[in-house]
Amino acid sequence: MSKPISRTLAVLLLAVSPLALSAYSESNAQEADRFAGVEIKVVPLAEGVAVLFGAGGNIGVSYGPDGTVLIDDQFAPLTPKIQAAIAGLGAEPVTYLINTHWHGDHSGGNENFGKAGALIMAHDHVRERMLGIQKSGRGNDPASAVEALPTVTYHDGLKLHLNGDEVQIKHMKHGHTDGDSIIFWKKANVLHMGDLFFNKMSLPFIDLDSGGNARGILAAADKVLTMVNDDTKIIPGHGPMATKTDLIAYRDMMKTVIGAVVKAQGEGKSLEQVQAMKLAGQWDVNPDAFIKGDAFVAAVYKSVQKPEHVDDHAH
């Protein structure tokens, strides 16, 4: 069932009770209020390339004579602010939209941009998950509206030749989710990592229910480090802009924690015993972090218990 239909059905069902309808309106108003004070901060990175910071995943944007490319789009109520920020760059409305993965803080604006004419692209698994198809014990999430779905999907990646640059889109297997993509502007030397990289504001979130795995995040960091140099500007999924040095530190943290968890598992330690070792303690420094040490170590522990993914496209 698509979101617009289910929403309409909810209103019809709630209409039998004025009190319930009032509660429904109030929840919608609260969602709007939640984003009312959000400002979209625009930071130019290179000629025709910028990053937008708001609420949710960081947004990449490139623009020029061939159109405007948007990487992720945060939450639906923020679409007008994002569109205004893009216009403020002197850019045309969004022509192409690429989702780094399927989570709502990165794809919540898809329906709005899709209706406005953007061509949406993402990995095959992103479309599957947005259709409500889950390959895990989590069950089905509500399907997205048709206009929100990626209409161009790929398995390994794509190249776009736009605005005088080569935009490389590469799938990174089983990292944050099973549908993560990185986007690299070759000439501009800017790379968007999506949620494969949480920079300095939280330990990584590994969505095990969406096919994520700690080893995949480590592999993605290793792969990206072969693509970048000291001048590359790296856009993380969350947190401030990053450099190759920041990504090396992140990779080393992942390698250290995974290695320590593997060793502890080999010694027969339980999850609780491993969590008590505080293996991520030196990096668990933000009291407001989205993911704290125990949750991160639990995700790593469960990741390394799983067999290596051999066929990424097996369902």
Side-chain angles (χ1 to χ4, degrees):
M1 183 181 282
S2 73
K3 284 178 179 168
I5 295 172
S6 59
R7 202 176 288 130
T8 304
L9 182 61
V11 171
L12 289 172
L13 292 172
L14 288 166
V16 298
S17 161
L19 186 62
L21 186 57
S22 168
Y24 179 81
S25 301
E26 190 175 317
S27 70
N28 272 9
Q30 283 172 346
E31 179 166 308
D33 288 347
R34 177 185 164 200
F35 298 107
V38 173
E39 288 183 29
I40 304 297
K41 184 185 174 190
V42 180
V43 180
L45 301 177
E47 187 179 350
V49 181
V51 62
L52 310 183
F53 298 101
N58 296 332
I59 296 173
V61 57
S62 69
Y63 54 98
D66 297 324
T68 300
V69 185
L70 197 67
I71 316 298
D72 290 339
D73 53 26
Q74 299 190 350
F75 298 96
L78 293 173
T79 300
K81 292 182 179 184
I82 294 166
Q83 289 170 326
I86 292 166
L89 286 165
E92 296 295 319
V94 175
T95 322
Y96 306 98
L97 169 61
I98 305 165
N99 292 136
T100 59
H101 62 292
W102 77 281
H103 288 153
D105 62 321
H106 296 257
S107 67
N110 274 28
E111 183 178 352
N112 295 332
F113 283 103
K115 284 179 175 174
L119 176 69
I120 304 173
M121 297 177 268
H123 186 263
D124 295 331
H125 292 161
V126 173
R127 181 179 168 91
E128 289 165 10
R129 292 192 179 279
M130 291 180 73
L131 280 167
I133 301 168
Q134 299 290 349
K135 302 184 288 292
S136 67
R138 184 153 105 177
N140 288 359
D141 282 291
S144 298
V146 172
E147 296 89 348
L149 297 171
T151 50
V152 174
T153 63
Y154 49 84
H155 181 47
D156 295 318
L158 280 175
K159 283 182 185 174
L160 304 177
H161 303 274
L162 296 168
N163 301 325
D165 209 336
E166 181 182 292
V167 185
Q168 300 177 353
I169 307 167
K170 295 179 183 288
H171 173 49
M172 298 286 129
K173 298 178 181 180
H174 296 284
H176 173 62
T177 68
D178 61 6
D180 300 302
S181 294
I182 61 165
I183 294 90
F184 182 45
W185 288 270
K186 198 171 176 183
K187 181 181 171 186
N189 201 13
V190 174
L191 194 145
H192 196 313
M193 285 190 68
D195 281 2
L196 292 162
F197 188 13
F198 281 65
N199 187 31
K200 297 176 180 173
M201 45 71 69
S202 175
L203 287 165
F205 171 40
I206 304 162
D207 188 351
L208 299 168
D209 286 331
S210 291
N213 193 291
R215 288 179 299 210
I217 289 180
L218 175 57
D222 277 331
K223 174 67 177 174
V224 170
L225 285 169
T226 68
M227 299 170 62
V228 301
N229 58 36
D230 291 339
D231 297 322
T232 308
K233 294 172 180 174
I234 301 173
I235 305 173
H238 298 267
M241 286 296 298
T243 63
K244 182 179 180 180
T245 303
D246 295 323
L247 185 58
I248 288 171
Y250 182 81
R251 187 272 312 271
D252 291 348
M253 178 275 294
M254 289 297 305
K255 194 172 182 179
T256 300
V257 175
I258 291 170
V261 170
V262 168
K263 182 174 182 289
Q265 276 191 6
E267 294 165 356
K269 289 187 168 66
S270 69
L271 171 58
E272 290 73 21
Q273 287 172 319
V274 175
Q275 285 174 319
M277 295 168 70
K278 301 298 177 190
L279 298 175
Q282 72 185 89
W283 300 282
D284 188 15
V285 293
N286 179 6
D288 301 318
F290 176 51
I291 298 294
K292 301 286 287 167
D294 283 354
F296 173 56
V297 167
V300 173
Y301 189 95
K302 291 169 185 173
S303 289
V304 299
Q305 281 182 320
K306 294 177 184 240
E308 295 277 2
H309 293 281
V310 178
D311 179 8
D312 182 56
H313 215 49
H315 288 213

